[in-house]
Amino acid sequence: MSKPNTVSQALGEIEKAYATILSKLPLTNEGTESTPKRAAKALVELTQGYFTTPCEKIGEGIFPHDGSGVVHVKGLEICSLCEHHLLPFIGNCSITYIPDKKMLGLSKLKRISDIFARRLQVQERLTEQIADAIEKAIQPKGVLVVIRSVHLCMKMRGVCEKDPETCTVVRKGEFANNQLLTMQYMAESQHTPKL
């Protein structure tokens, strides 16, 4: 089966696939007649990160920077789908970087995190991808990305754990070499996700 190369192609094929899946369930509710179409639209929206790149989203959002400070943004909402079960994981992302002659517009940090979150993911890889994209875009002296989230594949199925929180951390540059600096911003990034 060839991969669709446009959103409209993807929508049609996904809708057919959902119709096939739902036809295997003993559904009796007439309200599910349009579910394949709605579910297809939702899945394309939740995976829109496949249809764009960090370069496209960053655009002209890179600016010169002469200072010596640190940029720290916390509480960026992360909504992604676990690639193993297609169930959501929801939480918050904290991004900290030390500029070296270039900085990103603050909204670009959210856009970068959304590009990778809006794909089928595992949290460990998502954290790496965000850090790598920032490093590639502006070559900072250091990058620290922390994601804390709740995975519905652990809440709704399998172990059915009540309040599991997963924390993933990626340290690059000065953050990889300076434990004290990392701990300072790890503490700053504390934010418990709520569902």
Side-chain angles (χ1 to χ4, degrees):
M1 184 169 155
S2 63
K3 288 187 180 178
N5 53 17
T6 67
V7 173
S8 60
Q9 252 187 318
L11 269 173
E13 291 182 25
I14 294 168
E15 183 179 343
K16 287 178 196 169
Y18 271 124
T20 300
I21 292 167
L22 292 177
S23 73
K24 307 303 178 192
L25 300 175
L27 301 176
T28 56
N29 187 344
E30 292 176 3
T32 60
E33 290 173 358
S34 297
T35 296
K37 180 178 269 188
R38 289 192 298 262
K41 284 183 179 177
L43 185 62
V44 168
E45 184 178 340
L46 293 171
T47 57
Q48 63 188 321
Y50 288 119
F51 299 98
T52 189
T53 66
C55 285
E56 289 172 334
K57 288 293 183 183
I58 291 170
E60 296 179 7
I62 297 175
F63 304 98
H65 179 74
D66 294 326
S68 59
V70 174
V71 177
H72 176 71
V73 178
K74 69 177 183 176
L76 298 173
E77 188 175 54
I78 290 288
C79 296
S80 194
L81 289 177
C82 160
E83 70 180 30
H84 300 140
H85 304 101
L86 300 184
L87 289 172
F89 62 93
I90 300 167
N92 289 278
C93 178
S94 167
I95 299 172
T96 310
Y97 73 91
I98 304 167
D100 184 17
K101 301 187 180 121
K102 290 187 272 186
M103 65 180 184
L104 284 164
L106 293 177
S107 69
K108 304 308 178 186
L109 298 174
K110 172 62 174 166
R111 292 186 192 283
I112 288 169
S113 64
D114 276 350
I115 287 169
F116 296 110
R118 295 298 177 143
R119 298 178 182 185
L120 301 184
Q121 275 293 9
V122 293
Q123 184 175 324
E124 298 87 341
R125 183 174 63 234
L126 172 59
T127 313
E128 288 277 357
Q129 288 174 330
I130 293 168
D132 289 345
I134 293 166
E135 193 172 55
K136 183 177 179 184
I138 59 169
Q139 299 84 48
K141 294 176 184 173
V143 181
L144 173 68
V145 178
V146 180
I147 297 179
R148 299 174 192 276
S149 72
V150 172
H151 291 246
L152 293 194
C153 61
M154 287 182 69
K155 254 178 111 72
M156 295 177 68
R157 56 158 302 282
V159 294
C160 293
E161 182 63 30
K162 185 182 173 194
D163 288 313
E165 180 183 274
T166 301
C167 178
T168 49
V169 180
V170 171
R171 304 181 303 152
K172 294 182 173 285
E174 289 190 20
F175 288 102
N177 302 320
N178 187 331
Q179 188 71 20
L180 192 60
L181 185 65
T182 297
M183 295 313 292
Q184 176 186 346
Y185 286 98
M186 283 283 295
E188 290 284 335
S189 75
Q190 294 276 347
H191 190 97
T192 303
K194 298 200 183 333
L195 295 180

